[in-house]
Amino acid sequence: MGYRYLGAAFCLLAFTCSLLPASSEGLVRIGLKKRQLDIQSINAAKIARMEGRYGKGVKDMHHSLGDSDLDIVSLKNYLDAQYYGEIGIGSPPQKFTVIFDTGSSNLWVPSSKCYFSIACLLHHKYKASKSSTYSKDGKSCAIHYGTGSVSGFLSQDNVEVGDLVIKDQLFIKATREGSLTFVIAKFDGIFGLGFQEISVGNVVPPWYNMVEQGLVNEEVFSFWLNRDQDATEGGELVFGGIDPKHFKGKHTYVPVTEKGYWQFEMEDFIIGNHSTGFCAGGCAAIVDSGTSLLAGPTSIVTEVNHAIGAEGVVSLECKEVVSQYGDMIWDLLVLPSKVCSEIGLCMSRGAQYESSYIKTVVEKEEENTQEVSARDSALCTACELAVVWVQNQLKQKGNKEAVLDYVNQLCEDIPSPMGESVIDCNSISSMPNVTFTIGSKAFNLTPEQYILKTGEGVAAVCLSGFIALDVPPPRGPLWIRGDVFMGVYHTVFNYGNLQLGFAEAA
């Protein structure tokens, strides 16, 4: 799913409100509620599957809105960090709360035969014997996430989503949930809304069957996420079209560049009035409703958090690299991809160098190279970060002394190993806006929109909305636009035309 771990300070968030009734307009709503942020319960929910093939060409965009054509699911919101809703599986329907996740493509819920996982004991479990429409499949499967995994068996049954009933949907009955993340989660399972290219077992995703069975008139679904923590309604997921009450103005549409995730190209990333330079040649990005915050490469997120005054982890290795090797890095930047191997801080391997740089959260790569010490690994990582930062500063024509001093400062703002950074709540009003350029249009986020705050007065704690997540080539680097972005910008997922649309949320 689109989950990625937020960090040691964050944990999975919970759902506490009942499903709002479906409206007469045919919209299905899954209510999301927000609570006062509990720093003890905010740990992680960020999982990325980094796989998929390039999609086909894009057709012209067209929408028509008819009240009877829409299926609206009310969403519940917990702390602006998790949005989830209710579905039913079986006949009669057994109710489950799920994350509607555009970063994954499988549906799974706990099985009544999940005996040895604490997470299963704390959540609703599917009982096949109580459904008259259940069909056994029996194939075993597993989904691996950065914060754990689930495994079980494929089964087939009817799935109720709002007013719609998907016939004979394959889903995973989880017989094991191997992570503390799922223990503390308030939702029962995951409802994937990604492409079949990333579906485990190549199972046809629920959304595909909604289209195939003619349950929606348009091959479109859209998210409105309510960021008002005091609001009863957390948001709405609309199947089959767009609700005009959810946005202002017009949507900016961009093509899906690679199927699997809902991936598109971001043209620039600006802090205040200054471009980071990182997306000069375009950046791959995905929209992921299963990710709470804004995730990006450590090198750039560190610069962002430095610019907004967020505190990360002081890296002695990073400072040591700048102090001892800064001049060499400067001189060797004619071959930036080989700088760290030429210095001797990263192991050479043919024409490329290897480091322990943060790998994809989901995929486990086989280790065929000899192990290096933790310190050597840290020095290599620090060197790689320093090279990126020096390169970015050179684009702004900085002199060597100023550039290395700036890089040394950045060493103090490297996010913690789990990606998060803390901010002084009193400084929010003086922080810069950040801007993403998408489809030649600027999409701004104010500090109040990209900072998560809990508590008041001396008890207040604020967290940066930017977390570090490194996805190596060829799938990365990759930016993830999670709920922080989707809460500000109403998002349309056009499956038929392979497009994404963004407009200011109402």
mmCIF file of all heavy atoms in Angstrom, residues 72-94:
data_model
loop_
_atom_site.group_PDB
_atom_site.id
_atom_site.type_symbol
_atom_site.label_atom_id
_atom_site.label_comp_id
_atom_site.label_asym_id
_atom_site.label_seq_id
_atom_site.Cartn_x
_atom_site.Cartn_y
_atom_site.Cartn_z
ATOM 1 N N ILE A 72 -20.304 7.849 -3.419
ATOM 2 C CA ILE A 72 -19.451 8.626 -2.529
ATOM 3 C C ILE A 72 -19.246 7.889 -1.217
ATOM 4 O O ILE A 72 -20.210 7.471 -0.574
ATOM 5 C CB ILE A 72 -20.062 10.009 -2.246
ATOM 6 C CG1 ILE A 72 -20.239 10.777 -3.555
ATOM 7 C CG2 ILE A 72 -19.186 10.790 -1.278
ATOM 8 C CD1 ILE A 72 -20.858 12.133 -3.390
ATOM 9 N N VAL A 73 -18.027 7.747 -0.837
ATOM 10 C CA VAL A 73 -17.692 7.086 0.408
ATOM 11 C C VAL A 73 -17.160 8.130 1.369
ATOM 12 O O VAL A 73 -16.195 8.821 1.082
ATOM 13 C CB VAL A 73 -16.623 5.995 0.178
ATOM 14 C CG1 VAL A 73 -16.288 5.313 1.487
ATOM 15 C CG2 VAL A 73 -17.136 4.980 -0.835
ATOM 16 N N SER A 74 -17.815 8.271 2.509
ATOM 17 C CA SER A 74 -17.353 9.233 3.501
ATOM 18 C C SER A 74 -16.123 8.681 4.197
ATOM 19 O O SER A 74 -16.064 7.498 4.516
ATOM 20 C CB SER A 74 -18.455 9.504 4.540
ATOM 21 O OG SER A 74 -19.552 10.124 3.926
ATOM 22 N N LEU A 75 -15.174 9.546 4.430
ATOM 23 C CA LEU A 75 -13.914 9.129 5.022
ATOM 24 C C LEU A 75 -13.785 9.638 6.442
ATOM 25 O O LEU A 75 -14.266 10.717 6.779
ATOM 26 C CB LEU A 75 -12.746 9.661 4.179
ATOM 27 C CG LEU A 75 -12.721 9.221 2.719
ATOM 28 C CD1 LEU A 75 -11.556 9.877 2.011
ATOM 29 C CD2 LEU A 75 -12.646 7.718 2.602
ATOM 30 N N LYS A 76 -13.125 8.865 7.258
ATOM 31 C CA LYS A 76 -12.813 9.285 8.612
ATOM 32 C C LYS A 76 -11.364 9.724 8.651
ATOM 33 O O LYS A 76 -10.510 9.138 7.996
ATOM 34 C CB LYS A 76 -13.063 8.142 9.599
ATOM 35 C CG LYS A 76 -14.530 7.749 9.723
ATOM 36 C CD LYS A 76 -14.708 6.619 10.700
ATOM 37 C CE LYS A 76 -16.179 6.342 10.948
ATOM 38 N NZ LYS A 76 -16.891 5.955 9.741
ATOM 39 N N ASN A 77 -11.100 10.746 9.426
ATOM 40 C CA ASN A 77 -9.755 11.323 9.457
ATOM 41 C C ASN A 77 -9.214 11.274 10.872
ATOM 42 O O ASN A 77 -9.866 11.731 11.791
ATOM 43 C CB ASN A 77 -9.826 12.771 8.959
ATOM 44 C CG ASN A 77 -8.510 13.483 9.096
ATOM 45 O OD1 ASN A 77 -7.494 12.875 9.409
ATOM 46 N ND2 ASN A 77 -8.523 14.771 8.866
ATOM 47 N N TYR A 78 -8.022 10.723 11.034
ATOM 48 C CA TYR A 78 -7.376 10.704 12.338
ATOM 49 C C TYR A 78 -6.110 11.537 12.280
ATOM 50 O O TYR A 78 -5.160 11.191 11.595
ATOM 51 C CB TYR A 78 -7.052 9.277 12.759
ATOM 52 C CG TYR A 78 -6.427 9.188 14.138
ATOM 53 C CD1 TYR A 78 -7.167 9.519 15.266
ATOM 54 C CD2 TYR A 78 -5.114 8.792 14.302
ATOM 55 C CE1 TYR A 78 -6.600 9.446 16.523
ATOM 56 C CE2 TYR A 78 -4.550 8.707 15.556
ATOM 57 C CZ TYR A 78 -5.290 9.030 16.669
ATOM 58 O OH TYR A 78 -4.730 8.963 17.907
ATOM 59 N N LEU A 79 -6.114 12.668 12.944
ATOM 60 C CA LEU A 79 -4.935 13.514 13.088
ATOM 61 C C LEU A 79 -4.367 14.014 11.774
ATOM 62 O O LEU A 79 -3.172 14.261 11.665
ATOM 63 C CB LEU A 79 -3.829 12.748 13.836
ATOM 64 C CG LEU A 79 -4.253 12.117 15.162
ATOM 65 C CD1 LEU A 79 -3.081 11.398 15.775
ATOM 66 C CD2 LEU A 79 -4.768 13.176 16.093
ATOM 67 N N ASP A 80 -5.185 14.149 10.763
ATOM 68 C CA ASP A 80 -4.703 14.574 9.444
ATOM 69 C C ASP A 80 -3.677 13.598 8.883
ATOM 70 O O ASP A 80 -2.895 13.948 7.999
ATOM 71 C CB ASP A 80 -4.066 15.976 9.514
ATOM 72 C CG ASP A 80 -5.121 17.062 9.540
ATOM 73 O OD1 ASP A 80 -6.279 16.760 9.248
ATOM 74 O OD2 ASP A 80 -4.772 18.205 9.858
ATOM 75 N N ALA A 81 -3.621 12.399 9.411
ATOM 76 C CA ALA A 81 -2.565 11.487 8.988
ATOM 77 C C ALA A 81 -3.093 10.186 8.420
ATOM 78 O O ALA A 81 -2.369 9.502 7.724
ATOM 79 C CB ALA A 81 -1.626 11.195 10.161
ATOM 80 N N GLN A 82 -4.315 9.814 8.724
ATOM 81 C CA GLN A 82 -4.889 8.617 8.128
ATOM 82 C C GLN A 82 -6.342 8.879 7.785
ATOM 83 O O GLN A 82 -7.097 9.408 8.597
ATOM 84 C CB GLN A 82 -4.823 7.431 9.087
ATOM 85 C CG GLN A 82 -3.441 6.856 9.225
ATOM 86 C CD GLN A 82 -3.458 5.632 10.112
ATOM 87 O OE1 GLN A 82 -4.514 5.183 10.537
ATOM 88 N NE2 GLN A 82 -2.291 5.110 10.392
ATOM 89 N N TYR A 83 -6.701 8.504 6.584
ATOM 90 C CA TYR A 83 -8.080 8.626 6.138
ATOM 91 C C TYR A 83 -8.561 7.222 5.772
ATOM 92 O O TYR A 83 -7.952 6.547 4.963
ATOM 93 C CB TYR A 83 -8.167 9.542 4.916
ATOM 94 C CG TYR A 83 -7.882 10.984 5.242
ATOM 95 C CD1 TYR A 83 -6.573 11.449 5.311
ATOM 96 C CD2 TYR A 83 -8.916 11.882 5.478
ATOM 97 C CE1 TYR A 83 -6.305 12.775 5.615
ATOM 98 C CE2 TYR A 83 -8.650 13.214 5.778
ATOM 99 C CZ TYR A 83 -7.337 13.648 5.847
ATOM 100 O OH TYR A 83 -7.075 14.954 6.147
ATOM 101 N N TYR A 84 -9.650 6.806 6.372
ATOM 102 C CA TYR A 84 -10.117 5.460 6.132
ATOM 103 C C TYR A 84 -11.624 5.440 6.189
ATOM 104 O O TYR A 84 -12.266 6.359 6.689
ATOM 105 C CB TYR A 84 -9.534 4.490 7.162
ATOM 106 C CG TYR A 84 -9.630 4.989 8.565
ATOM 107 C CD1 TYR A 84 -10.728 4.676 9.347
ATOM 108 C CD2 TYR A 84 -8.646 5.818 9.081
ATOM 109 C CE1 TYR A 84 -10.828 5.165 10.626
ATOM 110 C CE2 TYR A 84 -8.747 6.303 10.358
ATOM 111 C CZ TYR A 84 -9.840 5.979 11.134
ATOM 112 O OH TYR A 84 -9.939 6.480 12.407
ATOM 113 N N GLY A 85 -12.187 4.360 5.649
ATOM 114 C CA GLY A 85 -13.635 4.262 5.600
ATOM 115 C C GLY A 85 -14.088 2.833 5.768
ATOM 116 O O GLY A 85 -13.291 1.950 6.055
ATOM 117 N N GLU A 86 -15.354 2.591 5.554
ATOM 118 C CA GLU A 86 -15.946 1.284 5.826
ATOM 119 C C GLU A 86 -16.387 0.610 4.542
ATOM 120 O O GLU A 86 -16.927 1.235 3.636
ATOM 121 C CB GLU A 86 -17.143 1.441 6.762
ATOM 122 C CG GLU A 86 -17.688 0.118 7.279
ATOM 123 C CD GLU A 86 -18.784 0.339 8.303
ATOM 124 O OE1 GLU A 86 -19.934 0.577 7.898
ATOM 125 O OE2 GLU A 86 -18.472 0.280 9.517
ATOM 126 N N ILE A 87 -16.152 -0.685 4.472
ATOM 127 C CA ILE A 87 -16.644 -1.517 3.379
ATOM 128 C C ILE A 87 -17.302 -2.743 3.995
ATOM 129 O O ILE A 87 -17.198 -2.985 5.200
ATOM 130 C CB ILE A 87 -15.507 -1.968 2.432
ATOM 131 C CG1 ILE A 87 -14.498 -2.861 3.180
ATOM 132 C CG2 ILE A 87 -14.811 -0.774 1.798
ATOM 133 C CD1 ILE A 87 -13.500 -3.551 2.260
ATOM 134 N N GLY A 88 -17.971 -3.522 3.156
ATOM 135 C CA GLY A 88 -18.550 -4.783 3.597
ATOM 136 C C GLY A 88 -18.087 -5.903 2.687
ATOM 137 O O GLY A 88 -17.951 -5.717 1.472
ATOM 138 N N ILE A 89 -17.831 -7.074 3.253
ATOM 139 C CA ILE A 89 -17.424 -8.232 2.458
ATOM 140 C C ILE A 89 -18.340 -9.400 2.814
ATOM 141 O O ILE A 89 -18.536 -9.715 4.000
ATOM 142 C CB ILE A 89 -15.960 -8.630 2.723
ATOM 143 C CG1 ILE A 89 -15.014 -7.469 2.404
ATOM 144 C CG2 ILE A 89 -15.576 -9.853 1.874
ATOM 145 C CD1 ILE A 89 -13.546 -7.779 2.652
ATOM 146 N N GLY A 90 -18.892 -10.046 1.785
ATOM 147 C CA GLY A 90 -19.739 -11.209 1.992
ATOM 148 C C GLY A 90 -21.217 -10.909 1.969
ATOM 149 O O GLY A 90 -21.651 -9.766 1.807
ATOM 150 N N SER A 91 -22.012 -11.981 2.133
ATOM 151 C CA SER A 91 -23.473 -11.866 2.154
ATOM 152 C C SER A 91 -24.010 -12.667 3.339
ATOM 153 O O SER A 91 -23.933 -13.896 3.326
ATOM 154 C CB SER A 91 -24.063 -12.409 0.847
ATOM 155 O OG SER A 91 -23.539 -11.743 -0.270
ATOM 156 N N PRO A 92 -24.554 -12.015 4.356
ATOM 157 C CA PRO A 92 -24.665 -10.561 4.510
ATOM 158 C C PRO A 92 -23.287 -9.931 4.703
ATOM 159 O O PRO A 92 -22.342 -10.612 5.113
ATOM 160 C CB PRO A 92 -25.530 -10.424 5.757
ATOM 161 C CG PRO A 92 -25.247 -11.671 6.540
ATOM 162 C CD PRO A 92 -25.081 -12.751 5.513
ATOM 163 N N PRO A 93 -23.153 -8.625 4.424
ATOM 164 C CA PRO A 93 -21.831 -7.991 4.478
ATOM 165 C C PRO A 93 -21.263 -7.918 5.895
ATOM 166 O O PRO A 93 -21.951 -7.521 6.829
ATOM 167 C CB PRO A 93 -22.088 -6.590 3.910
ATOM 168 C CG PRO A 93 -23.557 -6.352 4.089
ATOM 169 C CD PRO A 93 -24.206 -7.690 3.971
ATOM 170 N N GLN A 94 -20.002 -8.312 6.016
ATOM 171 C CA GLN A 94 -19.243 -8.166 7.254
ATOM 172 C C GLN A 94 -18.444 -6.874 7.145
ATOM 173 O O GLN A 94 -17.725 -6.674 6.158
ATOM 174 C CB GLN A 94 -18.325 -9.364 7.453
ATOM 175 C CG GLN A 94 -19.070 -10.694 7.526
ATOM 176 C CD GLN A 94 -18.124 -11.892 7.480
ATOM 177 O OE1 GLN A 94 -17.057 -11.880 8.097
ATOM 178 N NE2 GLN A 94 -18.524 -12.935 6.753
#
